[in-house]
Amino acid sequence: RSAEDAESLIRRISGALEAESRSGALPFAVTMSAGCALFSSADQVTMDDVLNRADRSMYEVKRRARGDEEKGL
């Protein structure tokens, strides 16, 4: 699978959660933060490496989103 596949899946899940949250059907708001880390079987990485990469990815997405909000996007 590719980074585009992962990003597409994250957008679909996030969109579904956002739509449900905006529908008013839940007595609380639902938000989501996600990051992804891609690696191949040839990469010699530990699970900690994978989780750290995904965590950094998530915080980068959050940082960009905050920048967009500050710009009014």
Side-chain angles (χ1 to χ4, degrees), residues 1-21:
R1 297 270 169 157
S2 69
E4 292 81 21
D5 291 335
E7 290 170 2
S8 175
L9 178 60
I10 290 169
R11 280 193 302 274
R12 286 184 14 231
I13 294 169
S14 180
L17 286 172
E18 186 177 322
E20 185 68 22
S21 184

Side-chain angles (χ1 to χ4, degrees), residues 18-57:
E18 186 177 322
E20 185 68 22
S21 184
R22 277 192 269 153
S23 75
L26 301 173
F28 50 85
V30 177
T31 61
M32 179 183 128
S33 297
C36 65
L38 301 176
F39 62 97
S40 76
S41 58
D43 294 337
Q44 296 207 345
V45 296
T46 66
M47 185 55 70
D48 281 343
D49 294 333
V50 173
L51 292 174
N52 285 330
R53 288 182 196 179
D55 197 43
R56 284 192 308 268
S57 171

